Amino acid sequence: MNDAPRSSFGTTLLLIILLIIVVIGGVWIYNKNHVVTVGEHVGEAIDAVPAKVSKAADEITDKEALDKTGEALKDAGKSASSAVSKTGAAASRVVSDTSDDIKAASDNQKERNAEASRSRAAD
């Protein structure tokens, strides 16, 4: 009788091959029984659209969100109005200052012209 020890490598290899066959068989059986076509996926997506639209509509018509948006718009309007008023006031000051400078320069030029006329008349 042959009392030779069994090869542990051979046993391990056999177990790995059996495990792979069992896994492949399990995947094949699962996929065979659970076939989902592209049309079914599209159908599920279409069926989900009304619920998503309803949820979005609820979020849009949420009174709290609308109130916050309204308040934000009012604040933005007040800020814009204030900025326009300040810009208008600054522009008015600049125009006034420029007008005063132009008038002063004009008056100086008139005086110089008058002095020049007097000095020519005196010569």
Side-chain angles (χ1 to χ4, degrees):
M1 308 206 168
N2 194 354
D3 289 335
R6 290 182 145 185
S7 168
S8 64
F9 176 74
T11 305
T12 306
L13 184 62
L14 181 62
L15 287 175
I16 291 174
I17 291 173
L18 286 174
L19 182 63
I20 290 173
I21 291 172
V22 169
V23 169
I24 290 173
V27 169
W28 179 77
I29 290 172
Y30 177 79
N31 286 332
K32 180 181 173 192
N33 295 331
H34 294 93
V35 176
V36 181
T37 64
V38 174
E40 289 173 342
H41 282 296
V42 171
E44 290 172 5
I46 291 172
D47 290 341
V49 168
K52 298 291 183 181
V53 169
S54 176
K55 182 179 177 185
D58 290 343
E59 289 176 3
I60 289 173
T61 58
D62 184 19
K63 183 164 176 47
E64 184 177 321
L66 289 175
D67 290 343
K68 287 180 183 177
T69 303
E71 289 176 17
L73 287 173
K74 285 179 188 176
D75 291 345
K78 287 177 184 176
S79 296
S81 175
S82 175
V84 168
S85 295
K86 288 178 182 178
T87 302
S92 177
R93 282 192 301 273
V94 168
V95 168
S96 176
D97 291 347
T98 303
S99 177
D100 291 345
D101 290 345
I102 290 172
K103 185 177 181 208
S106 174
D107 291 343
N108 286 339
Q109 187 63 40
K110 285 179 185 176
E111 287 178 22
R112 286 185 205 142
N113 289 344
E115 288 175 13
S117 295
R118 281 186 243 149
S119 68
R120 279 188 231 156
D123 286 339

